[in-house]
Amino acid sequence: MSLFSNNVSLFFKRFAPLANFLGIREEDLFVGGKIGFEPNPEFLLLNEESKEKIEIVPSRLSVGGETVFTAKSNGKYLHSLYNPLREADSIAENAKKSLSDVRSCAFFGFGLGYSVISYAKKFPDDTLLIVEPNPKMFFTSLLYADWSPVFNLKNVVIALASGADIVVSLIENAGGFEKCAVLSNPLFTQLSPAYFSALNSQIERNRNKDKINNATLERFAPVWKRNILKNIDSIKKINEGRIASCRISSVCEYEDKFAGKPFVILAAGPSLAEILPRLAEIKKKSVVIAVDTALRSCLRFGVEPDFIVLCDPQYYAYRHVAGLASPSSVLVTELAAYPSVFHFPCREISLFASSCPLEKLGFDLSFVSDDKKRGSLTSGGSVSTAAWDFARLCGAKKIYFAGLDLGFPKNETHARGSTFEEAVHSSSNKLSTAETAGIASLFGANMIVDCDYSGQKILTDNRMKMFSWWFESKCTEFPEIESFSFSASSLKIPGFKVASVDEFLS
């Protein structure tokens, strides 16, 4: 049996659920779908296109007459050209010494896996966490080294194409950052820079979470509590029929209620303008969700969305819907929203479990339990992520986005007619024009350059790249759900496809 065949066999025996998650069968990794045949290049980094990213080359070392390989990326060797194995031993030893009480080690990328294998051999009682966003990189490494010491470990976790939040959770379960050595070699992480940038940001926030959470709680607790108490009173008045003619519900009531129906989510990026003239047609074919920032643009074209999602408890979030009305819509929000939100003219207000720490705000356990029963929405830090999760909860299998640009296509910042743009125009004057405000917004956030769906360059920033990774991780977590962008000029989200409005309507 070849080295690759043996590695693949051990992987599928030990990690069958992971293989199932990736949608890969053992026979898929071999040409012709026959186990033991030549490796299938479709699942490896061995084609001409891959050579631009990584190239496998012989090192100067041979063991037992067999050449030990190394790899190159952007002209730099990922492993030593002379002795990759000795280098790997040194990396493993230094990882063990990096903390006073190392009980586990997390590898962020690993090249051909030599340091992972060395660590497994030297410290078999430790927990090993292997993080790699590109499954092809992992399966390629099975061609060049014996991974059996890793696959035979008692405690080993392989996180392929896993979300940043999942990786952080795995590290915490492996002893936390005080007892888990993290090896993040820039030569390996440069192969997937967006992923590891998002992951490192998540880790940094996690390391400081207690400090941040305490500071946030100290600053906003009085506001959150005041909002909740006022909203409890408003809910009582709504239920008694003393406020408007809407009803109060919970998002859990919508679970699978629209199973199989396509959803269209309207965000407030510049490309939203491209589909607004056809929004009425789109609504006839789908369930339409507008995030709070996109509602004003939506109503300008005479269309009331089926759902409006508003997550942020702060006053500025309410400003996006202030003065508007959408009598046929359902407003999806939480108990800590700014109180005026509960006076918004709509058909129904559907609540999801609050993201605020209700226990620390002084609410009793029964109140907290009742709030959790409403159902939760996973938010990636943006109202658009919560909207996607609400569509998933409703049973969507196809989710289309308009205005989810996560960048500045054509150097534009917001959709025409959005609250932001209207506010800029209303406050502009001869010495402080709308264009000046737009430029300040555009270049005031540490811009970086990435690519849109057509391969063209687009300005974005790390915050929006993190939102991109959230969507990418959800595409991996829920492979049965297809996600699309109506605009090819938006920041490319791996896992998303581009769909034209014409195709959708046909």
Side-chain angles (χ1 to χ4, degrees):
M1 181 179 286
S2 70
L3 182 63
F4 181 74
S5 296
N6 186 58
N7 281 334
V8 168
S9 177
L10 289 172
F11 170 77
F12 275 85
K13 285 178 182 176
R14 180 71 186 273
F15 298 101
L18 174 58
N20 186 57
F21 167 73
L22 296 171
I24 297 175
R25 302 170 302 168
E26 185 172 353
E27 54 267 31
D28 292 335
L29 295 176
F30 299 92
V31 172
K34 295 183 180 180
I35 296 174
F37 277 46
E38 289 296 310
N40 184 355
E42 181 182 345
F43 294 90
L44 307 170
L45 294 175
L46 293 177
N47 53 38
E48 289 299 319
E49 182 181 343
S50 299
K51 285 184 179 179
E52 297 179 6
K53 194 169 189 179
I54 188 168
E55 184 179 0
I56 312 298
V57 295
S59 74
R60 305 286 172 82
L61 177 69
S62 63
V63 176
E66 296 290 332
T67 300
V68 177
F69 286 83
T70 183
K72 291 175 69 175
S73 177
N74 295 323
K76 295 182 179 179
Y77 285 101
L78 304 184
H79 306 282
S80 168
L81 174 62
Y82 296 94
N83 196 327
L85 301 187
R86 184 171 62 194
E87 176 191 56
D89 288 341
S90 176
I91 290 171
E93 291 283 358
N94 290 334
K96 190 65 173 176
K97 298 174 183 176
S98 62
L99 297 171
S100 59
D101 186 18
V102 174
R103 299 180 187 177
S104 56
C105 186
F107 289 84
F108 289 0
F110 46 80
L112 299 181
Y114 298 132
S115 53
V116 180
I117 296 166
S118 177
Y119 193 96
K121 287 179 179 178
K122 291 177 177 294
F123 312 109
D125 294 327
D126 282 9
T127 297
L128 207 56
L129 173 59
I130 302 165
V131 181
E132 174 54 56
N134 186 354
K136 289 186 177 182
M137 185 71 247
F138 172 73
F139 290 118
T140 299
S141 72
L142 302 188
L143 279 165
Y144 299 101
D146 178 10
W147 277 71
S148 59
V150 176
F151 296 148
N152 291 329
L153 281 179
K154 180 181 178 182
N155 299 310
V156 57
V157 178
I158 300 177
L160 297 182
S162 297
D165 52 343
I166 295 174
V167 173
V168 170
S169 177
L170 290 171
I171 292 175
E172 289 182 331
N173 291 335
F177 291 97
E178 295 77 19
K179 300 185 185 298
C180 181
V182 176
L183 291 182
S184 182
N185 188 329
L187 292 174
F188 299 151
T189 58
Q190 72 175 358
L191 300 176
S192 302
Y195 173 85
F196 285 109
S197 173
L199 177 55
N200 287 328
S201 297
Q202 183 89 357
I203 288 172
E204 191 60 33
R205 286 203 308 274
N206 185 270
R207 282 175 167 157
N208 296 322
K209 69 179 180 181
D210 291 336
K211 186 183 200 179
I212 293 171
N213 288 345
N214 289 335
T216 303
L217 184 63
E218 183 178 351
R219 180 179 179 184
F220 292 105
V223 175
W224 292 338
K225 190 166 186 176
R226 184 170 65 248
N227 286 357
I228 291 172
L229 292 174
K230 286 186 177 181
N231 292 337
I232 290 172
D233 185 56
S234 294
I235 290 171
K236 182 180 179 182
K237 291 178 180 178
I238 291 172
N239 288 335
E240 293 174 352
R242 289 190 283 154
I243 293 182
S245 58
C246 70
R247 66 181 283 263
I248 299 292
S249 68
S250 300
V251 295
C252 61
E253 297 176 31
Y254 285 96
E255 186 168 0
D256 291 329
K257 190 169 182 178
F258 300 97
K261 291 190 176 181
F263 275 67
V264 173
I265 299 176
L266 309 177
S271 68
L272 176 63
E274 298 171 9
I275 67 100
L276 287 174
R278 308 187 70 178
L279 188 54
E281 296 176 77
I282 289 172
K283 187 179 178 184
K284 293 177 183 177
K285 297 264 188 178
S286 63
V287 178
V288 174
I289 301 176
V291 305
D292 50 6
T293 51
L295 179 61
R296 190 177 299 272
S297 297
C298 190
L299 296 178
R300 281 181 61 242
F301 280 79
V303 177
E304 295 182 9
D306 297 294
F307 296 94
I308 304 161
V309 179
L310 187 154
C311 298
D312 199 309
Q314 297 184 71
Y315 169 72
Y316 80 83
Y318 161 68
R319 287 290 301 145
H320 294 300
V321 302
L324 305 178
S326 191
S328 66
S329 303
V330 175
L331 177 63
V332 179
T333 190
E334 67 142 290
L335 199 55
Y338 191 77
S340 298
V341 168
F342 282 78
H343 295 266
F344 176 75
C346 60
R347 175 170 64 88
E348 178 183 321
I349 297 176
S350 190
L351 299 174
F352 57 90
S354 178
S355 59
C356 298
L358 299 181
E359 302 97 325
K360 293 184 178 180
L361 295 180
F363 294 98
D364 60 42
L365 292 178
S366 63
F367 182 88
V368 175
S369 176
D370 289 342
D371 185 64
K372 288 181 179 178
K373 290 176 183 176
R374 293 187 169 108
S376 61
L377 295 182
T378 303
S379 173
S382 162
V383 66
S384 295
T385 59
W388 186 96
D389 204 45
F390 179 68
R392 178 199 61 78
L393 180 137
C394 290
K397 296 303 177 188
K398 292 188 176 184
I399 301 175
Y400 298 81
F401 270 98
L404 185 71
D405 294 317
L406 299 183
F408 307 104
K410 301 176 184 178
N411 291 338
E412 295 180 323
T413 58
H414 288 76
R416 301 286 172 87
S418 65
T419 303
F420 174 84
E421 193 192 54
E422 293 292 322
V424 166
H425 282 296
S426 64
S427 62
S428 64
N429 56 51
K430 188 174 182 179
L431 298 178
S432 179
T433 65
E435 288 78 8
T436 300
I439 290 295
S441 174
L442 186 61
F443 293 104
N446 298 319
M447 291 294 104
I448 57 178
V449 177
D450 211 302
C451 292
D452 62 18
Y453 291 95
S454 59
Q456 301 299 309
K457 295 187 183 303
I458 179 175
L459 280 175
T460 183
D461 59 37
N462 284 328
R463 180 178 58 89
M464 288 188 280
K465 292 279 286 183
M466 286 185 64
F467 299 154
S468 171
W469 172 246
W470 187 94
F471 285 112
E472 183 180 351
S473 68
K474 291 303 172 184
C475 289
T476 304
E477 185 178 352
F478 299 99
E480 72 280 6
I481 299 176
E482 294 183 90
S483 296
F484 302 85
S485 171
F486 276 137
S487 174
S489 62
S490 305
L491 177 70
K492 181 179 180 180
I493 302 174
F496 272 46
K497 304 172 187 174
V498 177
S500 71
V501 175
D502 289 332
E503 290 171 344
F504 175 80
L505 293 175
S506 64

mmCIF file of all heavy atoms in Angstrom, residues 145-179:
data_model
loop_
_atom_site.group_PDB
_atom_site.id
_atom_site.type_symbol
_atom_site.label_atom_id
_atom_site.label_comp_id
_atom_site.label_asym_id
_atom_site.label_seq_id
_atom_site.Cartn_x
_atom_site.Cartn_y
_atom_site.Cartn_z
ATOM 1 N N ALA A 145 4.389 12.530 3.584
ATOM 2 C CA ALA A 145 4.873 12.156 4.920
ATOM 3 C C ALA A 145 3.922 11.149 5.549
ATOM 4 O O ALA A 145 2.727 11.114 5.222
ATOM 5 C CB ALA A 145 4.994 13.394 5.800
ATOM 6 N N ASP A 146 4.451 10.353 6.448
ATOM 7 C CA ASP A 146 3.653 9.352 7.162
ATOM 8 C C ASP A 146 2.916 10.032 8.317
ATOM 9 O O ASP A 146 3.521 10.434 9.311
ATOM 10 C CB ASP A 146 4.571 8.250 7.693
ATOM 11 C CG ASP A 146 3.808 7.193 8.480
ATOM 12 O OD1 ASP A 146 2.565 7.213 8.460
ATOM 13 O OD2 ASP A 146 4.479 6.358 9.128
ATOM 14 N N TRP A 147 1.605 10.153 8.180
ATOM 15 C CA TRP A 147 0.788 10.839 9.180
ATOM 16 C C TRP A 147 0.262 9.896 10.268
ATOM 17 O O TRP A 147 -0.516 10.329 11.122
ATOM 18 C CB TRP A 147 -0.389 11.540 8.501
ATOM 19 C CG TRP A 147 -0.045 12.884 7.946
ATOM 20 C CD1 TRP A 147 0.730 13.164 6.871
ATOM 21 C CD2 TRP A 147 -0.481 14.154 8.458
ATOM 22 N NE1 TRP A 147 0.814 14.510 6.659
ATOM 23 C CE2 TRP A 147 0.080 15.153 7.615
ATOM 24 C CE3 TRP A 147 -1.294 14.552 9.514
ATOM 25 C CZ2 TRP A 147 -0.146 16.508 7.827
ATOM 26 C CZ3 TRP A 147 -1.514 15.905 9.726
ATOM 27 C CH2 TRP A 147 -0.947 16.871 8.890
ATOM 28 N N SER A 148 0.656 8.640 10.257
ATOM 29 C CA SER A 148 0.100 7.691 11.232
ATOM 30 C C SER A 148 0.348 8.110 12.685
ATOM 31 O O SER A 148 -0.531 7.888 13.538
ATOM 32 C CB SER A 148 0.633 6.274 10.976
ATOM 33 O OG SER A 148 2.044 6.223 11.053
ATOM 34 N N PRO A 149 1.508 8.734 13.043
ATOM 35 C CA PRO A 149 1.667 9.181 14.430
ATOM 36 C C PRO A 149 0.597 10.188 14.855
ATOM 37 O O PRO A 149 0.230 10.249 16.027
ATOM 38 C CB PRO A 149 3.061 9.825 14.447
ATOM 39 C CG PRO A 149 3.793 9.168 13.319
ATOM 40 C CD PRO A 149 2.760 8.967 12.260
ATOM 41 N N VAL A 150 0.120 10.979 13.895
ATOM 42 C CA VAL A 150 -0.925 11.966 14.194
ATOM 43 C C VAL A 150 -2.284 11.285 14.302
ATOM 44 O O VAL A 150 -3.037 11.483 15.270
ATOM 45 C CB VAL A 150 -0.967 13.068 13.110
ATOM 46 C CG1 VAL A 150 -2.114 14.046 13.371
ATOM 47 C CG2 VAL A 150 0.362 13.801 13.042
ATOM 48 N N PHE A 151 -2.622 10.463 13.297
ATOM 49 C CA PHE A 151 -3.936 9.823 13.273
ATOM 50 C C PHE A 151 -4.125 8.828 14.420
ATOM 51 O O PHE A 151 -5.256 8.525 14.800
ATOM 52 C CB PHE A 151 -4.154 9.109 11.938
ATOM 53 C CG PHE A 151 -4.186 10.040 10.755
ATOM 54 C CD1 PHE A 151 -3.735 9.636 9.504
ATOM 55 C CD2 PHE A 151 -4.663 11.340 10.874
ATOM 56 C CE1 PHE A 151 -3.760 10.486 8.411
ATOM 57 C CE2 PHE A 151 -4.695 12.200 9.789
ATOM 58 C CZ PHE A 151 -4.244 11.769 8.548
ATOM 59 N N ASN A 152 -3.019 8.337 14.986
ATOM 60 C CA ASN A 152 -3.111 7.373 16.080
ATOM 61 C C ASN A 152 -3.093 8.013 17.463
ATOM 62 O O ASN A 152 -3.180 7.312 18.470
ATOM 63 C CB ASN A 152 -1.971 6.355 15.982
ATOM 64 C CG ASN A 152 -2.126 5.433 14.777
ATOM 65 O OD1 ASN A 152 -3.245 5.135 14.364
ATOM 66 N ND2 ASN A 152 -1.015 5.002 14.209
ATOM 67 N N LEU A 153 -2.972 9.349 17.514
ATOM 68 C CA LEU A 153 -3.002 10.034 18.799
ATOM 69 C C LEU A 153 -4.355 9.843 19.479
ATOM 70 O O LEU A 153 -5.395 9.758 18.823
ATOM 71 C CB LEU A 153 -2.763 11.534 18.618
ATOM 72 C CG LEU A 153 -1.330 12.038 18.414
ATOM 73 C CD1 LEU A 153 -1.346 13.552 18.238
ATOM 74 C CD2 LEU A 153 -0.433 11.654 19.568
ATOM 75 N N LYS A 154 -4.329 9.844 20.797
ATOM 76 C CA LYS A 154 -5.582 9.736 21.548
ATOM 77 C C LYS A 154 -6.410 11.002 21.411
ATOM 78 O O LYS A 154 -7.629 10.960 21.248
ATOM 79 C CB LYS A 154 -5.273 9.461 23.025
ATOM 80 C CG LYS A 154 -6.520 9.329 23.893
ATOM 81 C CD LYS A 154 -6.140 9.081 25.346
ATOM 82 C CE LYS A 154 -7.385 8.986 26.227
ATOM 83 N NZ LYS A 154 -7.033 8.786 27.657
ATOM 84 N N ASN A 155 -5.730 12.152 21.491
ATOM 85 C CA ASN A 155 -6.431 13.439 21.444
ATOM 86 C C ASN A 155 -5.922 14.278 20.278
ATOM 87 O O ASN A 155 -4.863 14.906 20.374
ATOM 88 C CB ASN A 155 -6.234 14.209 22.756
ATOM 89 C CG ASN A 155 -6.788 13.467 23.956
ATOM 90 O OD1 ASN A 155 -7.929 13.025 23.933
ATOM 91 N ND2 ASN A 155 -5.984 13.316 24.994
ATOM 92 N N VAL A 156 -6.629 14.246 19.185
ATOM 93 C CA VAL A 156 -6.273 15.055 18.021
ATOM 94 C C VAL A 156 -7.545 15.552 17.348
ATOM 95 O O VAL A 156 -8.516 14.812 17.203
ATOM 96 C CB VAL A 156 -5.402 14.258 17.018
ATOM 97 C CG1 VAL A 156 -6.100 12.989 16.553
ATOM 98 C CG2 VAL A 156 -5.012 15.122 15.822
ATOM 99 N N VAL A 157 -7.534 16.824 16.983
ATOM 100 C CA VAL A 157 -8.669 17.437 16.290
ATOM 101 C C VAL A 157 -8.147 18.067 15.004
ATOM 102 O O VAL A 157 -7.168 18.820 15.033
ATOM 103 C CB VAL A 157 -9.358 18.516 17.150
ATOM 104 C CG1 VAL A 157 -10.510 19.154 16.375
ATOM 105 C CG2 VAL A 157 -9.853 17.921 18.455
ATOM 106 N N ILE A 158 -8.793 17.750 13.887
ATOM 107 C CA ILE A 158 -8.434 18.346 12.607
ATOM 108 C C ILE A 158 -9.561 19.282 12.183
ATOM 109 O O ILE A 158 -10.683 18.834 11.944
ATOM 110 C CB ILE A 158 -8.182 17.278 11.530
ATOM 111 C CG1 ILE A 158 -7.039 16.349 11.957
ATOM 112 C CG2 ILE A 158 -7.850 17.929 10.195
ATOM 113 C CD1 ILE A 158 -6.758 15.223 10.993
ATOM 114 N N ALA A 159 -9.268 20.563 12.146
ATOM 115 C CA ALA A 159 -10.270 21.574 11.793
ATOM 116 C C ALA A 159 -10.018 22.047 10.368
ATOM 117 O O ALA A 159 -9.192 22.934 10.129
ATOM 118 C CB ALA A 159 -10.199 22.744 12.767
ATOM 119 N N LEU A 160 -10.696 21.418 9.420
ATOM 120 C CA LEU A 160 -10.579 21.797 8.013
ATOM 121 C C LEU A 160 -11.767 22.677 7.642
ATOM 122 O O LEU A 160 -12.910 22.275 7.839
ATOM 123 C CB LEU A 160 -10.547 20.562 7.112
ATOM 124 C CG LEU A 160 -9.371 19.592 7.277
ATOM 125 C CD1 LEU A 160 -9.491 18.454 6.274
ATOM 126 C CD2 LEU A 160 -8.043 20.314 7.106
ATOM 127 N N ALA A 161 -11.486 23.847 7.094
ATOM 128 C CA ALA A 161 -12.539 24.776 6.644
ATOM 129 C C ALA A 161 -13.529 25.073 7.765
ATOM 130 O O ALA A 161 -14.727 25.175 7.539
ATOM 131 C CB ALA A 161 -13.266 24.194 5.427
ATOM 132 N N SER A 162 -13.013 25.217 8.991
ATOM 133 C CA SER A 162 -13.864 25.517 10.144
ATOM 134 C C SER A 162 -13.872 27.015 10.404
ATOM 135 O O SER A 162 -12.877 27.712 10.177
ATOM 136 C CB SER A 162 -13.359 24.779 11.390
ATOM 137 O OG SER A 162 -13.436 23.389 11.225
ATOM 138 N N GLY A 163 -14.983 27.522 10.914
ATOM 139 C CA GLY A 163 -15.099 28.933 11.232
ATOM 140 C C GLY A 163 -14.163 29.354 12.345
ATOM 141 O O GLY A 163 -13.767 28.542 13.191
ATOM 142 N N ALA A 164 -13.804 30.645 12.367
ATOM 143 C CA ALA A 164 -12.886 31.164 13.375
ATOM 144 C C ALA A 164 -13.434 30.953 14.777
ATOM 145 O O ALA A 164 -12.690 30.638 15.714
ATOM 146 C CB ALA A 164 -12.618 32.646 13.126
ATOM 147 N N ASP A 165 -14.754 31.119 14.942
ATOM 148 C CA ASP A 165 -15.353 30.941 16.263
ATOM 149 C C ASP A 165 -15.226 29.499 16.733
ATOM 150 O O ASP A 165 -15.021 29.230 17.922
ATOM 151 C CB ASP A 165 -16.824 31.371 16.242
ATOM 152 C CG ASP A 165 -17.629 30.717 15.130
ATOM 153 O OD1 ASP A 165 -17.022 30.191 14.179
ATOM 154 O OD2 ASP A 165 -18.869 30.724 15.206
ATOM 155 N N ILE A 166 -15.312 28.554 15.791
ATOM 156 C CA ILE A 166 -15.179 27.137 16.139
ATOM 157 C C ILE A 166 -13.753 26.840 16.583
ATOM 158 O O ILE A 166 -13.523 26.125 17.560
ATOM 159 C CB ILE A 166 -15.578 26.251 14.944
ATOM 160 C CG1 ILE A 166 -17.070 26.428 14.634
ATOM 161 C CG2 ILE A 166 -15.265 24.783 15.214
ATOM 162 C CD1 ILE A 166 -17.533 25.713 13.394
ATOM 163 N N VAL A 167 -12.765 27.391 15.868
ATOM 164 C CA VAL A 167 -11.363 27.159 16.215
ATOM 165 C C VAL A 167 -11.062 27.700 17.614
ATOM 166 O O VAL A 167 -10.407 27.035 18.421
ATOM 167 C CB VAL A 167 -10.428 27.808 15.177
ATOM 168 C CG1 VAL A 167 -8.974 27.713 15.633
ATOM 169 C CG2 VAL A 167 -10.594 27.138 13.817
ATOM 170 N N VAL A 168 -11.548 28.890 17.913
ATOM 171 C CA VAL A 168 -11.339 29.472 19.245
ATOM 172 C C VAL A 168 -11.953 28.587 20.315
ATOM 173 O O VAL A 168 -11.353 28.342 21.367
ATOM 174 C CB VAL A 168 -11.915 30.896 19.313
ATOM 175 C CG1 VAL A 168 -11.913 31.414 20.747
ATOM 176 C CG2 VAL A 168 -11.112 31.842 18.421
ATOM 177 N N SER A 169 -13.151 28.089 20.038
ATOM 178 C CA SER A 169 -13.813 27.185 20.988
ATOM 179 C C SER A 169 -13.001 25.909 21.198
ATOM 180 O O SER A 169 -12.871 25.415 22.324
ATOM 181 C CB SER A 169 -15.216 26.841 20.476
ATOM 182 O OG SER A 169 -15.855 25.916 21.320
ATOM 183 N N LEU A 170 -12.417 25.372 20.129
ATOM 184 C CA LEU A 170 -11.601 24.165 20.234
ATOM 185 C C LEU A 170 -10.356 24.414 21.089
ATOM 186 O O LEU A 170 -9.957 23.556 21.889
ATOM 187 C CB LEU A 170 -11.191 23.681 18.838
ATOM 188 C CG LEU A 170 -12.303 23.098 17.961
ATOM 189 C CD1 LEU A 170 -11.796 22.871 16.536
ATOM 190 C CD2 LEU A 170 -12.827 21.794 18.541
ATOM 191 N N ILE A 171 -9.745 25.584 20.920
ATOM 192 C CA ILE A 171 -8.564 25.914 21.723
ATOM 193 C C ILE A 171 -8.942 26.022 23.204
ATOM 194 O O ILE A 171 -8.225 25.542 24.086
ATOM 195 C CB ILE A 171 -7.919 27.224 21.229
ATOM 196 C CG1 ILE A 171 -7.306 27.009 19.841
ATOM 197 C CG2 ILE A 171 -6.851 27.717 22.202
ATOM 198 C CD1 ILE A 171 -6.753 28.263 19.207
ATOM 199 N N GLU A 172 -10.083 26.628 23.476
ATOM 200 C CA GLU A 172 -10.526 26.743 24.865
ATOM 201 C C GLU A 172 -10.792 25.367 25.468
ATOM 202 O O GLU A 172 -10.469 25.105 26.624
ATOM 203 C CB GLU A 172 -11.783 27.613 24.936
ATOM 204 C CG GLU A 172 -11.494 29.085 24.656
ATOM 205 C CD GLU A 172 -12.723 29.952 24.777
ATOM 206 O OE1 GLU A 172 -13.837 29.444 24.532
ATOM 207 O OE2 GLU A 172 -12.584 31.143 25.124
ATOM 208 N N ASN A 173 -11.361 24.475 24.669
ATOM 209 C CA ASN A 173 -11.626 23.113 25.152
ATOM 210 C C ASN A 173 -10.333 22.314 25.344
ATOM 211 O O ASN A 173 -10.310 21.333 26.089
ATOM 212 C CB ASN A 173 -12.549 22.369 24.182
ATOM 213 C CG ASN A 173 -13.954 22.921 24.186
ATOM 214 O OD1 ASN A 173 -14.390 23.520 25.169
ATOM 215 N ND2 ASN A 173 -14.671 22.739 23.091
ATOM 216 N N ALA A 174 -9.274 22.741 24.661
ATOM 217 C CA ALA A 174 -7.983 22.041 24.767
ATOM 218 C C ALA A 174 -7.109 22.613 25.873
ATOM 219 O O ALA A 174 -5.914 22.339 25.922
ATOM 220 C CB ALA A 174 -7.251 22.110 23.430
ATOM 221 N N GLY A 175 -7.691 23.408 26.740
ATOM 222 C CA GLY A 175 -6.944 23.944 27.871
ATOM 223 C C GLY A 175 -6.836 25.446 27.896
ATOM 224 O O GLY A 175 -6.288 26.020 28.845
ATOM 225 N N GLY A 176 -7.335 26.096 26.845
ATOM 226 C CA GLY A 176 -7.270 27.550 26.808
ATOM 227 C C GLY A 176 -5.922 28.051 26.334
ATOM 228 O O GLY A 176 -4.962 27.297 26.175
ATOM 229 N N PHE A 177 -5.839 29.357 26.105
ATOM 230 C CA PHE A 177 -4.625 29.951 25.544
ATOM 231 C C PHE A 177 -3.457 29.949 26.530
ATOM 232 O O PHE A 177 -2.319 30.146 26.136
ATOM 233 C CB PHE A 177 -4.928 31.374 25.078
ATOM 234 C CG PHE A 177 -5.830 31.420 23.884
ATOM 235 C CD1 PHE A 177 -7.189 31.619 24.037
ATOM 236 C CD2 PHE A 177 -5.331 31.235 22.604
ATOM 237 C CE1 PHE A 177 -8.033 31.647 22.939
ATOM 238 C CE2 PHE A 177 -6.157 31.259 21.502
ATOM 239 C CZ PHE A 177 -7.520 31.459 21.673
ATOM 240 N N GLU A 178 -3.739 29.712 27.828
ATOM 241 C CA GLU A 178 -2.649 29.647 28.808
ATOM 242 C C GLU A 178 -1.917 28.320 28.737
ATOM 243 O O GLU A 178 -0.768 28.211 29.170
ATOM 244 C CB GLU A 178 -3.197 29.851 30.226
ATOM 245 C CG GLU A 178 -3.804 31.222 30.491
ATOM 246 C CD GLU A 178 -5.193 31.360 29.892
ATOM 247 O OE1 GLU A 178 -5.821 30.306 29.599
ATOM 248 O OE2 GLU A 178 -5.641 32.502 29.701
ATOM 249 N N LYS A 179 -2.559 27.283 28.221
ATOM 250 C CA LYS A 179 -1.957 25.950 28.200
ATOM 251 C C LYS A 179 -1.831 25.379 26.782
ATOM 252 O O LYS A 179 -1.377 24.261 26.606
ATOM 253 C CB LYS A 179 -2.770 24.987 29.072
ATOM 254 C CG LYS A 179 -2.849 25.413 30.527
ATOM 255 C CD LYS A 179 -3.558 24.382 31.375
ATOM 256 C CE LYS A 179 -3.717 24.901 32.816
ATOM 257 N NZ LYS A 179 -2.432 25.149 33.467
#
